[in-house]
Amino acid sequence: MPLAICLFSFTGFSKVEGKNEMVKKRIRAISLDRLDDETIAQLRIWRNQDFVRKQMHNKGLISQQEHQKWVRNVKNDSKRDVFVIFLDNEPIGVCQYKILDDKGTIELGDYLISEDYKNKGFGFIVTYAFWQIAYQLLHAKKAYYEVIETNTLMLKMTHRNNDELVREYVNEEGQKVYCYTFNYGPEDLQSKKYKLFHSLIIEEPWEDILVI
């Protein structure tokens, strides 16, 4: 599997010398093995932000030693990987996956790296990018993800997408956790459900994926 890819490009309005012009942007996903030391260290800072921690199972602050151990574990585990999603050269989110079995079942998770990106469409771009990784690169047949009850925005999204609730439990913090599975696959990325999004996103053909 390529470790650094150009997932897709899109056009959008941006101010250029005081005028609104259409500008082409590139979405890239770079895996842990290809990240520089500065970005790897930055992962811990992003993860330790309050708005990120409160949606995680482990809400404690991650120490530098814990972070280094986590990095080693991920790099040595062929069934796991972490990607930083870039909008051109600016990081906007973090995605991670774990392969659960040899039948194409994976567990996904992602978050935005800045609270300033919330409610501005960046979350959907990060999630959409992860669908591409899951289905086009990992060839997943089924993907699971977990949502803590306090993550009301994500819960609304799962209900809007009619994702399937497969189990729920109470974690060590006493919070209810819901485990969903996507009820859509690769073919659904082209469905009417995403017609509006596809009108804004101009994707590169998959046979032309750029390996960096």
Side-chain angles (χ1 to χ4, degrees):
M1 186 185 70
L3 298 176
I5 58 171
C6 176
L7 291 169
F8 55 88
S9 61
F10 72 97
T11 57
F13 281 107
S14 180
K15 279 193 177 296
V16 178
E17 296 182 353
K19 298 179 181 180
N20 282 329
E21 295 184 8
M22 293 297 290
V23 177
K24 190 171 185 177
K25 297 286 187 179
R26 183 172 66 157
I27 304 297
R28 295 182 300 147
I30 299 182
S31 75
L32 193 62
D33 276 338
R34 290 290 183 90
L35 293 174
D36 56 43
D37 292 341
E38 182 180 352
T39 305
I40 290 177
Q42 189 67 38
L43 280 168
R44 183 174 74 94
I45 297 174
W46 294 332
R47 170 62 174 78
N48 277 342
Q49 295 175 100
D50 288 343
F51 85 98
V52 176
R53 286 191 294 117
K54 73 178 184 179
Q55 307 301 347
M56 300 292 184
H57 289 300
N58 177 11
K59 293 178 174 51
L61 290 171
I62 305 299
S63 68
Q64 185 171 350
Q65 184 178 9
E66 289 172 327
H67 181 65
Q68 292 171 345
K69 180 180 178 181
W70 171 79
V71 170
R72 288 195 302 271
N73 288 342
V74 173
K75 287 185 174 182
N76 292 328
D77 190 341
S78 62
K79 295 185 177 181
R80 298 167 62 193
D81 207 346
V82 176
F83 290 83
V84 175
I85 308 300
F86 289 81
L87 175 59
D88 282 343
N89 294 320
E90 292 296 322
I92 61 172
V94 177
C95 302
Q96 57 185 333
Y97 73 81
K98 180 179 181 180
I99 298 174
L100 300 180
D101 57 35
D102 58 0
K103 299 178 181 178
T105 308
I106 64 174
E107 183 178 346
L108 303 173
D110 60 59
Y111 62 86
L112 293 172
I113 66 162
S114 171
E115 203 160 12
D116 292 338
Y117 292 152
K118 294 174 65 176
N119 304 316
K120 294 181 181 178
F122 289 99
F124 191 71
I125 289 175
V126 170
T127 301
Y128 186 86
F130 213 0
W131 293 339
Q132 307 287 34
I133 293 172
Y135 293 126
Q136 302 291 347
L137 297 179
L138 298 176
H139 305 294
K141 303 300 182 185
K142 182 170 288 190
Y144 293 100
Y145 64 98
E146 294 187 341
V147 186
I148 295 177
E149 61 181 340
T150 54
N151 193 348
T152 55
L153 184 62
M154 187 63 183
L155 286 174
K156 287 180 181 179
M157 183 180 296
T158 61
H159 294 154
R160 187 163 60 243
N161 292 336
N162 296 316
D163 293 343
E164 180 186 356
L165 176 64
V166 292
R167 69 187 178 97
E168 59 182 77
Y169 63 92
V170 177
N171 64 16
E172 295 179 357
E173 304 288 332
Q175 294 178 316
K176 187 172 289 187
V177 178
Y178 305 95
C179 181
Y180 290 91
T181 180
F182 296 118
N183 64 356
Y184 37 75
E187 66 282 355
D188 295 303
L189 295 178
Q190 306 298 331
S191 72
K192 293 181 180 179
K193 184 184 297 183
Y194 305 109
K195 186 176 180 180
L196 177 60
F197 186 70
H198 276 272
S199 70
L200 301 175
I201 299 295
I202 301 175
E203 293 186 79
E204 302 291 349
W206 279 111
E207 55 268 26
D208 292 335
I209 287 179
L210 172 64
V211 179
I212 302 172

